[in-house]
Amino acid sequence: MKQINQYYPAAPEVDAWCAGLLEQTEAVSVQGELLDDNPLREPFGNCPNTLINQYVRFTAGDGRRDFYGYWQPALKSPAPLLINLPGYGGYMSLHPQLCDQNFHVLHISPLGYVTPQGARKELALPDGNWPVLPNTALNLPGGYADWLSDCLLALRWALEQPGVQRDRLSLFGTSQGGGGSLLLASILGPERVRCVCADLPFLTGFSLSGLNGEAYGLLRPAAEQVPPDQFWRRLGFVDTLSHSHRLTMPVMLSAGGADGTCPPAPIELLFARLPGTKQYTYLEHQIHTHSRSSMVLFGGWLQLYA
């Protein structure tokens, strides 16, 4: 553990990494096109929000692959903006509960992994997993720096939408979505982000993981190819523990006692390091999945601080 931590970037290096990624992305233009087609065809009964929700295709000016989001307007405007980031699997998320509580919600699916027609499996690794985490360790295109850059572009579009209160931006998600929300909040800073909800957050404590489990175990092949100093340094820049000093906005964390994918110990360490207003909820029997508990925790925290 001590040997690994010596490879992690120091706080000033993390600060510079965040500033550099933000500056690079701000130099890229982005166009968001609201799409008319609605592929929600399963007969699940009355779902009135689908009559107003729309998919968004994002096209960046630097030639990167198009990627998509799902725009879910609030019940009435003006209203705060919530950004929802996805877990590691390929899906889009709907949050009618939060729209009915009068939040605009944009779910972002970076790197073009998921479209309105479904997940693009041809972009996945042979084992079916997405390459964003291994690419980060291997220093290949399509790592978390590019993932976060896509989020920043989509966020810029969302802030320009009619009825959005630009000074009331918050972030939330489960698993990768929770960890990604913390990283995005760190990049943007407390001047732009009102609060964060990180449920069972992935990308937390790489050095503590032993590269075990379904999530962190994805890094084992890369660990055999990359010298340890480079491997752990690259991961250190996208470890939420490295960003704790920057997360001074109100932060909600949760962990599950039955979660073998993103276990509680690293999340509890992150909670201990957070410098500001914070909440940690330990759910004894919670496995690694988005749940009703997640939505109750999100809703309460967002009502307090968003």
mmCIF file of all heavy atoms in Angstrom, residues 49-66:
data_model
loop_
_atom_site.group_PDB
_atom_site.id
_atom_site.type_symbol
_atom_site.label_atom_id
_atom_site.label_comp_id
_atom_site.label_asym_id
_atom_site.label_seq_id
_atom_site.Cartn_x
_atom_site.Cartn_y
_atom_site.Cartn_z
ATOM 1 N N ASN A 49 -43.924 11.054 -18.758
ATOM 2 C CA ASN A 49 -42.683 11.788 -18.963
ATOM 3 C C ASN A 49 -42.038 11.478 -20.306
ATOM 4 O O ASN A 49 -41.281 12.293 -20.834
ATOM 5 C CB ASN A 49 -41.694 11.484 -17.831
ATOM 6 C CG ASN A 49 -42.067 12.199 -16.537
ATOM 7 O OD1 ASN A 49 -42.798 13.174 -16.563
ATOM 8 N ND2 ASN A 49 -41.579 11.709 -15.417
ATOM 9 N N THR A 50 -42.294 10.292 -20.859
ATOM 10 C CA THR A 50 -41.676 9.960 -22.138
ATOM 11 C C THR A 50 -42.222 10.820 -23.268
ATOM 12 O O THR A 50 -41.639 10.868 -24.351
ATOM 13 C CB THR A 50 -41.884 8.477 -22.490
ATOM 14 O OG1 THR A 50 -43.280 8.204 -22.604
ATOM 15 C CG2 THR A 50 -41.271 7.583 -21.436
ATOM 16 N N LEU A 51 -43.342 11.514 -23.051
ATOM 17 C CA LEU A 51 -43.881 12.389 -24.081
ATOM 18 C C LEU A 51 -43.083 13.686 -24.200
ATOM 19 O O LEU A 51 -43.184 14.376 -25.206
ATOM 20 C CB LEU A 51 -45.347 12.717 -23.759
ATOM 21 C CG LEU A 51 -46.297 11.523 -23.717
ATOM 22 C CD1 LEU A 51 -47.694 11.989 -23.314
ATOM 23 C CD2 LEU A 51 -46.322 10.800 -25.069
ATOM 24 N N ILE A 52 -42.274 14.005 -23.171
ATOM 25 C CA ILE A 52 -41.516 15.249 -23.198
ATOM 26 C C ILE A 52 -40.015 15.007 -23.151
ATOM 27 O O ILE A 52 -39.230 15.841 -23.592
ATOM 28 C CB ILE A 52 -41.958 16.176 -22.033
ATOM 29 C CG1 ILE A 52 -41.398 17.582 -22.234
ATOM 30 C CG2 ILE A 52 -41.564 15.600 -20.672
ATOM 31 C CD1 ILE A 52 -41.997 18.603 -21.288
ATOM 32 N N ASN A 53 -39.573 13.858 -22.616
ATOM 33 C CA ASN A 53 -38.149 13.536 -22.610
ATOM 34 C C ASN A 53 -37.647 13.311 -24.034
ATOM 35 O O ASN A 53 -38.385 12.824 -24.882
ATOM 36 C CB ASN A 53 -37.871 12.274 -21.788
ATOM 37 C CG ASN A 53 -38.217 12.452 -20.325
ATOM 38 O OD1 ASN A 53 -38.375 13.569 -19.835
ATOM 39 N ND2 ASN A 53 -38.327 11.350 -19.607
ATOM 40 N N GLN A 54 -36.351 13.632 -24.260
ATOM 41 C CA GLN A 54 -35.783 13.443 -25.595
ATOM 42 C C GLN A 54 -34.328 13.008 -25.490
ATOM 43 O O GLN A 54 -33.589 13.441 -24.601
ATOM 44 C CB GLN A 54 -35.848 14.749 -26.399
ATOM 45 C CG GLN A 54 -37.237 15.149 -26.849
ATOM 46 C CD GLN A 54 -37.205 16.439 -27.663
ATOM 47 O OE1 GLN A 54 -37.231 17.527 -27.112
ATOM 48 N NE2 GLN A 54 -37.153 16.294 -28.990
ATOM 49 N N TYR A 55 -33.936 12.161 -26.435
ATOM 50 C CA TYR A 55 -32.523 11.836 -26.580
ATOM 51 C C TYR A 55 -31.796 13.019 -27.216
ATOM 52 O O TYR A 55 -32.372 13.764 -28.009
ATOM 53 C CB TYR A 55 -32.336 10.583 -27.434
ATOM 54 C CG TYR A 55 -32.714 9.315 -26.709
ATOM 55 C CD1 TYR A 55 -34.029 8.854 -26.737
ATOM 56 C CD2 TYR A 55 -31.776 8.602 -25.983
ATOM 57 C CE1 TYR A 55 -34.393 7.699 -26.063
ATOM 58 C CE2 TYR A 55 -32.126 7.455 -25.301
ATOM 59 C CZ TYR A 55 -33.436 7.008 -25.344
ATOM 60 O OH TYR A 55 -33.800 5.871 -24.665
ATOM 61 N N VAL A 56 -30.514 13.150 -26.882
ATOM 62 C CA VAL A 56 -29.675 14.210 -27.432
ATOM 63 C C VAL A 56 -28.438 13.577 -28.043
ATOM 64 O O VAL A 56 -27.781 12.735 -27.405
ATOM 65 C CB VAL A 56 -29.220 15.208 -26.340
ATOM 66 C CG1 VAL A 56 -28.586 16.437 -26.981
ATOM 67 C CG2 VAL A 56 -30.358 15.586 -25.420
ATOM 68 N N ARG A 57 -28.135 13.953 -29.278
ATOM 69 C CA ARG A 57 -26.879 13.540 -29.896
ATOM 70 C C ARG A 57 -25.887 14.694 -29.787
ATOM 71 O O ARG A 57 -26.153 15.800 -30.243
ATOM 72 C CB ARG A 57 -27.075 13.149 -31.353
ATOM 73 C CG ARG A 57 -25.753 12.728 -32.021
ATOM 74 C CD ARG A 57 -25.969 12.108 -33.399
ATOM 75 N NE ARG A 57 -26.724 12.981 -34.267
ATOM 76 C CZ ARG A 57 -27.838 12.605 -34.924
ATOM 77 N NH1 ARG A 57 -28.309 11.382 -34.786
ATOM 78 N NH2 ARG A 57 -28.474 13.449 -35.712
ATOM 79 N N PHE A 58 -24.738 14.426 -29.188
ATOM 80 C CA PHE A 58 -23.708 15.448 -29.018
ATOM 81 C C PHE A 58 -22.613 15.237 -30.055
ATOM 82 O O PHE A 58 -22.073 14.138 -30.199
ATOM 83 C CB PHE A 58 -23.104 15.378 -27.608
ATOM 84 C CG PHE A 58 -24.090 15.714 -26.526
ATOM 85 C CD1 PHE A 58 -24.620 14.720 -25.719
ATOM 86 C CD2 PHE A 58 -24.500 17.024 -26.313
ATOM 87 C CE1 PHE A 58 -25.531 15.024 -24.717
ATOM 88 C CE2 PHE A 58 -25.410 17.334 -25.326
ATOM 89 C CZ PHE A 58 -25.928 16.339 -24.521
ATOM 90 N N THR A 59 -22.298 16.324 -30.769
ATOM 91 C CA THR A 59 -21.242 16.308 -31.774
ATOM 92 C C THR A 59 -20.219 17.375 -31.403
ATOM 93 O O THR A 59 -20.557 18.559 -31.299
ATOM 94 C CB THR A 59 -21.802 16.594 -33.177
ATOM 95 O OG1 THR A 59 -22.801 15.616 -33.490
ATOM 96 C CG2 THR A 59 -20.697 16.548 -34.222
ATOM 97 N N ALA A 60 -18.989 16.942 -31.177
ATOM 98 C CA ALA A 60 -17.918 17.862 -30.780
ATOM 99 C C ALA A 60 -17.154 18.352 -31.997
ATOM 100 O O ALA A 60 -17.076 17.665 -33.030
ATOM 101 C CB ALA A 60 -16.971 17.180 -29.804
ATOM 102 N N GLY A 61 -16.580 19.546 -31.861
ATOM 103 C CA GLY A 61 -15.880 20.155 -32.976
ATOM 104 C C GLY A 61 -14.498 19.609 -33.236
ATOM 105 O O GLY A 61 -13.864 19.997 -34.227
ATOM 106 N N ASP A 62 -14.003 18.712 -32.371
ATOM 107 C CA ASP A 62 -12.644 18.196 -32.562
ATOM 108 C C ASP A 62 -12.620 16.822 -33.218
ATOM 109 O O ASP A 62 -11.575 16.174 -33.284
ATOM 110 C CB ASP A 62 -11.903 18.141 -31.227
ATOM 111 C CG ASP A 62 -12.570 17.217 -30.209
ATOM 112 O OD1 ASP A 62 -13.648 16.686 -30.512
ATOM 113 O OD2 ASP A 62 -12.006 17.056 -29.110
ATOM 114 N N GLY A 63 -13.773 16.344 -33.702
ATOM 115 C CA GLY A 63 -13.810 15.099 -34.446
ATOM 116 C C GLY A 63 -13.949 13.843 -33.605
ATOM 117 O O GLY A 63 -13.924 12.736 -34.156
ATOM 118 N N ARG A 64 -14.102 13.970 -32.307
ATOM 119 C CA ARG A 64 -14.304 12.776 -31.484
ATOM 120 C C ARG A 64 -15.629 12.108 -31.846
ATOM 121 O O ARG A 64 -16.507 12.718 -32.468
ATOM 122 C CB ARG A 64 -14.279 13.135 -29.999
ATOM 123 C CG ARG A 64 -15.490 13.935 -29.528
ATOM 124 C CD ARG A 64 -15.375 14.305 -28.057
ATOM 125 N NE ARG A 64 -14.343 15.294 -27.817
ATOM 126 C CZ ARG A 64 -13.979 15.693 -26.593
ATOM 127 N NH1 ARG A 64 -14.567 15.180 -25.524
ATOM 128 N NH2 ARG A 64 -13.034 16.608 -26.452
ATOM 129 N N ARG A 65 -15.803 10.874 -31.441
ATOM 130 C CA ARG A 65 -17.026 10.129 -31.741
ATOM 131 C C ARG A 65 -18.249 10.815 -31.128
ATOM 132 O O ARG A 65 -18.196 11.308 -30.002
ATOM 133 C CB ARG A 65 -16.906 8.709 -31.180
ATOM 134 C CG ARG A 65 -18.112 7.826 -31.455
ATOM 135 C CD ARG A 65 -18.008 6.492 -30.727
ATOM 136 N NE ARG A 65 -16.880 5.707 -31.229
ATOM 137 C CZ ARG A 65 -15.892 5.254 -30.464
ATOM 138 N NH1 ARG A 65 -15.879 5.520 -29.178
ATOM 139 N NH2 ARG A 65 -14.916 4.538 -30.982
ATOM 140 N N ASP A 66 -19.361 10.878 -31.879
ATOM 141 C CA ASP A 66 -20.612 11.377 -31.303
ATOM 142 C C ASP A 66 -20.989 10.536 -30.086
ATOM 143 O O ASP A 66 -20.720 9.335 -30.025
ATOM 144 C CB ASP A 66 -21.738 11.299 -32.325
ATOM 145 C CG ASP A 66 -21.641 12.375 -33.406
ATOM 146 O OD1 ASP A 66 -20.723 13.206 -33.333
ATOM 147 O OD2 ASP A 66 -22.494 12.357 -34.312
#
